[in-house]
Amino acid sequence: MNLESFYEYCLSKKGVTEHFPFDQDTLVFKVGGKMFALSSLSRWEKREPSVNLKCDPERAQELRAQYDDIKPGWHMSKIHWNTITINKEVPDTLIKELINHSYDLICSGLTNKNQINLL
């Protein structure tokens, strides 16, 4: 997966916006004003890309046990977020599935009004 395909995949989801709330390096994708994916642009440039994604706590533990390249979320809640190293052992199809999972978790936590706006 390259930066362009990651970027386009995240933005293709309904109601997603991009932001740089922390600095000019950390690209954040939000839905309903809530973060669901974060990635460092400089890490992509260094060919060490990774992404932080929200994850169900049980599934997060299972994924960490299965893949060395899925770790507790860096600078995030270690229970609810994973950091996934891209272009290593984790298949692109799984990364897309985990982007979907993170997006869905955030959407399910939105108010009914904000969920309706995504329809």
Side-chain angles (χ1 to χ4, degrees):
M1 179 176 288
N2 60 34
L3 177 58
E4 184 178 341
S5 62
F6 166 73
Y7 178 86
E8 288 175 359
Y9 190 77
C10 289
L11 272 185
S12 72
K13 308 203 128 323
K14 184 88 172 159
V16 170
T17 55
E18 64 175 294
H19 305 269
F20 289 89
F22 306 114
D23 53 39
Q24 292 302 308
D25 180 54
T26 308
L27 174 60
V28 176
F29 293 99
K30 294 183 179 184
V31 61
K34 307 273 185 191
M35 298 185 297
F36 76 92
L38 299 84
S39 190
S40 163
L41 295 179
S42 63
R43 292 197 51 129
W44 285 91
E45 290 172 4
K46 293 176 187 174
R47 298 178 192 242
E48 302 169 350
S50 65
V51 60
N52 283 7
L53 298 170
K54 191 162 188 176
C55 191
D56 171 75
E58 278 186 37
R59 187 166 187 207
Q61 291 296 330
E62 292 169 6
L63 289 164
R64 294 172 196 167
Q66 187 175 0
Y67 295 97
D68 290 337
D69 287 323
I70 299 181
K71 299 186 178 351
W74 189 70
H75 284 296
M76 306 294 283
S77 164
K78 308 298 186 219
I79 296 170
H80 297 282
W81 289 82
N82 282 331
T83 297
I84 300 143
T85 302
I86 297 175
N87 297 332
K88 297 282 184 167
E89 69 171 332
V90 182
D92 288 355
T93 54
L94 179 58
I95 293 171
K96 288 180 178 180
E97 179 186 323
L98 295 174
I99 291 169
N100 294 341
H101 178 64
S102 181
Y103 174 87
D104 292 343
L105 283 173
I106 297 301
C107 287
S108 70
L110 296 175
T111 64
N112 287 341
K113 178 182 176 184
N114 284 341
Q115 287 181 11
I116 290 170
N117 289 338
L118 295 176
L119 297 177

